[in-house]
């Protein structure tokens, strides 16, 4: 058991950066478990954060293999690599795992590890709830993937599970239930993490770390967690109603009993659109940190950036039905207007990112390369998003490969590139060792080329009318070459992940020693050792701007306050 | 505290406005209900923080003061941070078995319930363990709820923007 009585601060007379002899944090030392016991019982936010990130990355590899299976099926017309039913299962679980097991929870892992460090806190506010969240998340992953082991196979109705495909007649067997319960478990885990992060940010900041001095990453995580608080309970309720329909003979989504299938669509997308921002905002935060550090400049337009994040968060709550234009049952002008409005704060962010780099001393290392890749790819996905937000265009493009291309540009070219940037940026903090730059750059090159080769042709496929979620297509439709190209790209993308994996395993043991602050960082996570000790800080520099560590290390270049 | 409650009440207000527009324009029930839920949820949260702030008579905490020093917070009770605990894992396993019971049949409650109940008990007993909480900390915790402004009177922190 540990009780923290004092906040750590600089020891009088001890210059910042040297470890003070007696730690200022007084705590009753408790048992320090190791190995498996540590993995299971640790309530240290750093351990839990790493658990999250490693598990999420395993999810990425699992769902990535499923994607390679699908692309292999689509490599040629009338192909028979997998049956249509297996294709549908792969499709559903690929989407579900990527979103609920990989991209979201990886961001939760980052929130766990980085947020307390960046605000000078000793841990998350509720360490044991934090540990509980992880188990619910891991359970959700296992339960939903376990569907493949049942007789009828895993869920096969697509990641948004439209009624009536999910009812007991169209989706008999436990696979669908396992999908439903699995998502609900990850949902609870997300809600707990949100409560935990919000409380940490509101109540455990170091003295002087006022809200408008928190790193942009922390702000973005905070807004994300507020979206989680609103979105996930709605999803969980919707899933609860679905479960009742399947098991208790209720008729919420059954027209036969007076229910409405479209009710599911409203509930799902009221969750679903905020969800895509839950999968994006934390990564906007990551790239902001990387850009500022690697350009050796403060974030340009700090408050504008926060305002943009807040307005993206707010607007994202009012646009859900742009996924439902073609139902003919939604208020088109309302949803089109709000959807297009989101482009404005997003544009502000792009200007601020460029402004941060402008005249900076830029280090183009792997983390920065992935970040620049993110900027280009996310912008592209954003532009096709503006296309899809306009009802006349969406009526043409809905349910085609154009949509598949759009969201992969946003989520893969965008968020996943930022995942890789975060790995290359913070790995030294997690392990005390640097990742290899040459392997990293190789990984980036392969991923960048492979990704664009996979998904760029899909825009054209969509314009030619190829619908998504089909396992076989005829050879006379003009789809053949573009599909072959896309599958080739998918293989290159898959290979591109390997150098990073090798890099991680190799550098964990033999990488160059990183030291506390390998990038000349600006924020507090670099003010402690790598990896940080229990309860994080032996000493902290005074916090007088949004980059306290920079001010401590560069007294001649203090951050201007009040800009 | 001020920025916290203002941000959340602002979000609540925004959702309230959107909700009103949506209702009058579309007269569609589901979306209106959901937006209303968002409005109310944030109102509750922001309202709670506003009350806390009022209770402190608007006196900023050290994390809200631009010129706060570490020294002024010495001895402050930050919280209870156990180093390790087995109970969350037990409860998590119990929660997963609740899910399994909902998929494969009520039989699994036999596993889920003891796990959850046992963990709840273990968890709460662990937090209460008297030898872990020094007297001063316990005393500070009790006083925490009603701070006397006279104690912190010398704070002349600038108002937040
Ligand atoms: C190697 C990388 C990837 C490849 C080759 C790939 C490929 C595919 C394919 C072939 C589909 C099915 C399209 C269809 O038949 O309609 C698909 C769907 C999908 N993918 Fe990916 N994908 C990749 C990475 C990702 C990532 C990183 C994410 C998100 C983080 C993601 C999210 C989704 C989603 C949400 C769907 C929709 C599933 C559905 O329609 O229900 N994918 N992907
Ligand atoms: Cu959307």
């Amino acid at each position: 058991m540990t009780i923290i009585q004092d906040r750590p601060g600089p020891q009088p007379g001890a210059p910042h950066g040297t470890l003070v002899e007696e730690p200022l944090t007084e705590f009753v030392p408790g048992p320090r478990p190791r190995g498996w016991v540590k993995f299971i019982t640790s309530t240290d936010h750093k351990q839990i954060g790493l658990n999250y990130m490693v598990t999420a990355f395993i999810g990425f590899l699992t769902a990535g293999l499923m994607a390679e299976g699908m692309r292999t099926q689509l490599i040629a017309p009338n192909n028979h690599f997998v049956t249509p039913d297996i294709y549908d299962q792969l499709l559903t679980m690929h989407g579900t795992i990527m979103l609920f097991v990989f991209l979201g929870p990886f961001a939760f892992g980052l929130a766990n590890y980085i947020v307390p460090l960046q605000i000078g806190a000793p841990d998350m506010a509720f360490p044991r709830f934090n540990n509980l969240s992880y188990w619910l998340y891991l359970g959700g992953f296992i339960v939903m993937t376990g569907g493949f082991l049942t007789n009828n196979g895993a869920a096969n109705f697509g990641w948004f599970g439209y009624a009536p495909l999910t009812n007991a007649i169209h989706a008999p067997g436990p696979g669908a239930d396992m999908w439903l319960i699995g998502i609900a478990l990850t949902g609870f885990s997300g809600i707990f993490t949100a409560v935990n992060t919000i409380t940490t940010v509101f109540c455990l900041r170091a003295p002087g770390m006022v809200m408008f001095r928190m790193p942009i990453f922390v702000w973005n995580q905070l807004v994300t967690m507020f979206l989680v608080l609103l979105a996930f309970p709605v999803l969980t309720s919707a899933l609860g109603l679905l479960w009742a329909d399947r098991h208790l003979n209720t008729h919420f989504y059954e027209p036969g009993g007076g229910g409405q299938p479209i009710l599911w669509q409203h509930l799902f997308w009221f969750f679903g659109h905020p969800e895509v921002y839950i999968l994006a905002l934390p990564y906007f935060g990551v790239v902001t940190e990387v850009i500022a550090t690697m350009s050796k400049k403060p974030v340009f337009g700090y408050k504008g950036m926060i305002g943009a994040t807040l307005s993206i968060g707010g607007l994202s709550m009012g646009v859900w039905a742009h996924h439902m234009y073609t139902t003919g049952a939604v208020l088109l002008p309302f949803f089109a207007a709000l959807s297009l409005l989101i482009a404005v704060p997003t544009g502000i962010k792009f200007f601020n990112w460029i402004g941060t780099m402008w005249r900076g001393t830029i280090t183009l290392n792997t983390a920065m390369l992935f970040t620049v890749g993110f900027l280009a790819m996310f912008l592209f996905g954003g532009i096709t998003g503006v296309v899809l937000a306009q009802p006349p265009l969406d009526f043409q493009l809905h349910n085609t490969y154009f949509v598949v291309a759009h969201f992969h540009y946003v989520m893969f070219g965008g968020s996943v590139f930022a995942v890789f940037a975060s790995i290359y940026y913070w790995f030294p903090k997690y392990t005390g060792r640097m990742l290899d730059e040459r392997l990293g750059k190789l990984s980036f090159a392969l991923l960048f080329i492979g990704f664009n080769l996979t998904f760029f042709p899909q825009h054209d496929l969509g314009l030619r009318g190829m619908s998504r979620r089909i396992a076989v297509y005829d050879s006379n439709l003009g789809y053949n070459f573009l599909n072959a190209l896309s599958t080739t790209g998918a293989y290159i993308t898959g290979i591109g992940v390997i150098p990073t994996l090798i890099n991680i395993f190799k550098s964990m043991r033999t990488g160059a020693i990183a030291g506390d602050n390998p990038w000349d960082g600006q924020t507090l996570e670099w003010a402690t050792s790598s990896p940080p000790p229990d309860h994080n800080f032996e000493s902290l520099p005074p916090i007088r701007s949004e980059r306290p560590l920079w001010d401590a290390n560069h007294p001649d270049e203090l951050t201007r306050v009040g800009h | 505290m001020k920025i916290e409650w203002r941000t959340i009440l602002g979000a609540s207000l925004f959702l309230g406005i959107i909700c009103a527009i949506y209702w009058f324009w579309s007269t569609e029930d589901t979306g209106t209900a959901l937006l209303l839920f968002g409005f109310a949820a944030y109102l509750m949260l922001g309202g709670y923080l506003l009350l806390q702030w009022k209770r402190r008579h608007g006196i900023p905490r050290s994390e809200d003061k631009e010129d706060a020093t570490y020294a002024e917070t010495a001895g402050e009770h930050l919280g209870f941070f156990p180093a390790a605990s087995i109970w969350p894992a037990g409860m998590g396993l119990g929660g997963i078995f609740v899910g399994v019971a909902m998929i494969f049949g009520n039989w699994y409650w036999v596993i889920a319930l003891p796990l959850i109940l046992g963990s709840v008990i273990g968890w709460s007993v662990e937090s209460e363990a008297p030898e872990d909480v020094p007297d001063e900390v316990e005393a500070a915790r009790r006083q925490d709820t009603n701070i006397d402004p006279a104690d912190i009177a010398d704070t002349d922190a600038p108002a937040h923007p």
Side-chain angles (χ1 to χ4, degrees):
Chain A
M1 295 302 122
T2 304
I3 308 263
I4 301 215
Q5 272 174 293
D6 283 353
R7 300 186 191 242
Q11 187 87 311
H16 168 71
T18 57
L19 293 186
V20 292
E21 241 114 88
E22 275 171 281
L24 284 163
T25 325
E26 253 182 61
F27 46 82
V28 192
R32 295 268 170 272
R34 325 206 133 268
W36 278 98
V37 183
K38 178 171 179 196
F39 169 65
I40 292 175
T41 64
S42 176
T43 47
D44 178 359
H45 71 101
K46 300 182 286 295
Q47 175 71 38
I48 296 173
L50 287 178
N51 291 354
Y52 261 106
M53 287 189 264
V54 171
T55 314
F57 210 82
I58 293 172
F60 174 57
L61 299 178
T62 315
L65 277 180
M66 295 177 189
E68 301 295 346
M70 286 189 284
R71 278 315 322 171
T72 306
Q73 164 64 24
L74 293 173
I75 192 169
N78 299 313
N79 198 7
H80 291 293
F81 178 68
V82 292
T83 64
D85 184 47
I86 297 279
Y87 184 90
D88 289 347
Q89 294 176 28
L90 291 176
L91 162 86
T92 306
M93 296 315 292
H94 163 78
T96 308
I97 293 178
M98 283 292 186
L99 303 188
F100 292 100
V101 177
F102 166 51
L103 216 42
F106 195 92
F108 293 159
L110 283 174
N112 259 305
Y113 202 109
I114 304 295
V115 165
L117 287 172
Q118 284 194 333
I119 59 175
D123 202 319
M124 292 284 263
F126 307 114
R128 285 175 295 178
F129 268 108
N130 206 7
N131 180 306
L132 171 61
S133 319
Y134 174 75
W135 296 111
L136 293 179
Y137 155 61
L138 183 65
F141 182 13
I142 294 172
V143 167
M144 69 169 80
T145 319
F148 281 111
L149 303 177
T150 61
N151 282 340
N152 291 308
N156 64 356
F157 33 64
W159 84 280
F160 38 76
Y162 273 0
L165 294 180
T166 46
N167 67 16
I169 298 160
H170 292 103
D177 289 314
M178 294 170 88
W179 174 85
L180 180 167
I181 296 291
I183 293 180
L185 286 171
T186 60
F188 278 112
S189 135
I191 294 169
F192 290 164
T193 306
V195 171
N196 220 332
T197 311
I198 291 171
T199 316
T200 308
V201 171
F202 280 1
C203 301
L204 286 184
R205 303 195 306 273
M209 180 59 82
V210 299
M211 290 293 275
F212 283 125
R213 279 178 191 162
M214 297 195 307
I216 295 289
F217 177 76
V218 177
W219 263 105
N220 280 26
Q221 286 281 7
L222 182 67
V223 176
T224 306
M225 296 305 174
F226 272 105
L227 292 180
V228 170
L229 274 194
L230 219 53
F232 273 90
V234 173
L235 175 70
T236 314
S237 325
L239 290 167
L241 300 186
L242 176 60
W243 185 82
D245 269 9
R246 290 174 58 86
H247 292 271
L248 307 177
N249 288 319
T250 55
H251 300 98
F252 291 106
Y253 308 126
E254 295 286 340
Q260 291 181 351
I262 202 174
L263 173 64
W264 168 269
Q265 295 196 20
H266 274 297
L267 294 176
F268 185 87
W269 287 115
F270 190 81
F271 149 80
H273 191 85
E275 165 77 351
V276 303
Y277 279 95
I278 292 167
L279 305 178
L281 286 179
Y283 299 111
F284 289 2
V286 170
V287 299
T288 311
E289 297 299 307
V290 175
I291 289 176
T293 304
M294 299 308 171
S295 309
K296 305 221 180 312
K297 280 185 57 194
V299 174
F300 175 83
Y302 173 80
K303 281 194 179 163
M305 207 70 157
I306 295 169
T309 308
L310 285 169
S311 33
I312 290 178
L315 286 171
S316 77
M317 237 94 81
V319 301
W320 72 92
H322 63 205
H323 298 272
M324 299 161 61
Y325 284 157
T326 53
T327 58
V330 299
L331 187 61
L332 298 178
F334 178 87
F335 290 106
L338 284 185
S339 305
L340 291 173
L341 259 182
I342 293 196
V344 178
T346 314
I348 293 178
K349 278 182 175 288
F350 270 89
F351 281 115
N352 285 356
W353 284 324
I354 295 169
T356 308
M357 287 192 264
W358 199 260
R359 303 238 192 108
T361 323
I362 297 179
T363 318
L364 207 59
N365 54 17
T366 311
M368 190 63 178
L369 273 177
F370 273 110
T371 298
V372 174
F374 164 96
L375 292 183
M377 301 296 92
F378 192 89
L379 182 64
F380 202 86
I383 290 171
T384 51
V386 170
V387 170
L388 288 167
Q390 306 177 52
L393 294 172
D394 186 64
F395 277 101
Q396 287 298 315
L397 296 169
H398 186 70
N399 226 22
T400 68
Y401 259 86
F402 191 86
V403 176
V404 178
H406 155 68
F407 67 69
H408 281 97
Y409 264 83
V410 178
M411 288 189 294
F412 195 141
S415 301
V416 179
F417 272 49
V419 165
F420 279 85
S422 86
I423 295 176
Y424 281 88
Y425 182 58
W426 277 311
F427 185 87
K429 188 48 61 182
Y430 306 152
T431 62
R433 290 178 186 275
M434 307 296 285
L435 282 169
D436 184 277
E437 281 290 313
R438 271 168 53 212
L439 280 173
K441 285 178 177 159
L442 175 67
S443 194
F444 170 77
L446 287 171
L447 281 172
F448 191 81
I449 294 168
F451 165 79
N452 281 294
L453 200 58
T454 314
F455 292 108
F456 195 79
Q458 294 185 4
H459 293 101
D460 196 9
L461 277 174
L463 294 172
R464 288 168 187 233
M466 178 163 171
S467 37
R468 67 192 280 204
R469 297 178 173 169
I470 52 164
V472 269
Y473 53 92
D474 260 342
S475 60
N476 56 356
L477 297 168
Y479 301 163
N480 306 359
F481 175 68
L482 291 171
N483 268 308
L485 211 57
S486 182
T487 301
T488 316
Y491 294 153
I492 299 178
T493 312
I495 294 169
V497 180
I498 297 172
T500 293
L501 282 179
I502 296 176
N503 204 349
I504 291 174
F505 281 111
K506 202 183 74 145
S507 305
M508 237 161 34
R509 289 191 203 92
T510 61
I513 301 290
D516 294 1
N517 186 6
W519 312 120
D520 194 4
Q522 314 181 342
T523 42
L524 291 180
E525 77 270 32
W526 306 108
T528 182
S529 59
S530 311
D534 283 330
H535 301 108
N536 295 345
F537 296 99
E538 308 278 0
S539 77
L540 276 172
I543 299 164
R544 291 295 174 265
S545 76
E546 72 263 14
R547 32 181 215 167
L549 185 62
W550 178 274
D551 292 345
N553 290 341
H554 302 265
D556 46 326
E557 271 184 74
L558 291 184
T559 311
R560 275 188 304 131
V561 231
H563 53 93
Chain B
M1 284 295 250
K2 208 159 147 196
I3 296 170
E4 283 92 326
W5 65 256
R6 285 194 176 174
T7 312
I8 302 168
L9 285 186
S12 171
L13 185 70
F14 174 80
L15 286 178
I17 293 171
I18 292 281
C19 179
I21 297 175
Y22 184 71
W23 169 243
F24 283 113
W25 196 356
S26 77
T27 66
E28 189 269 317
D29 303 335
T30 317
T32 310
L34 289 170
L35 288 169
L36 203 62
F37 157 71
F39 163 76
Y42 283 176
L43 186 66
M44 189 178 76
L45 205 57
Y48 170 78
L49 288 175
L50 177 61
L51 284 182
Q52 293 292 309
W53 182 75
K54 283 251 164 87
R55 184 174 281 172
R56 295 181 59 98
H57 306 277
I59 296 163
R61 303 167 301 170
S62 64
E63 53 261 58
D64 300 324
K65 293 198 310 190
E66 308 223 316
D67 53 356
T69 61
Y70 292 102
E72 76 190 54
T73 61
E76 187 182 306
H77 174 59
L78 257 189
F80 176 72
F81 298 98
S85 171
I86 186 65
W87 305 116
M91 195 179 286
L93 198 62
I96 293 164
F97 270 102
V98 171
V100 172
M102 290 175 72
I103 302 168
F104 294 106
N106 287 329
W107 193 89
Y108 287 92
W109 283 100
V110 178
I111 306 176
L113 270 185
L115 272 172
I116 291 183
L117 288 180
S119 306
V120 167
I121 294 170
W123 189 315
S124 36
V125 169
E126 188 176 65
S127 327
E128 294 296 312
E131 68 274 14
D132 288 333
V133 185
D135 292 348
E136 322 86 70
V137 175
E138 192 52 52
R141 183 186 288 170
R142 288 214 192 84
Q143 287 167 6
D144 233 20
T145 39
N146 42 19
I147 293 168
D148 182 356
D151 286 355
I152 342 177
D154 56 335
T155 52
D156 51 348
H160 281 288

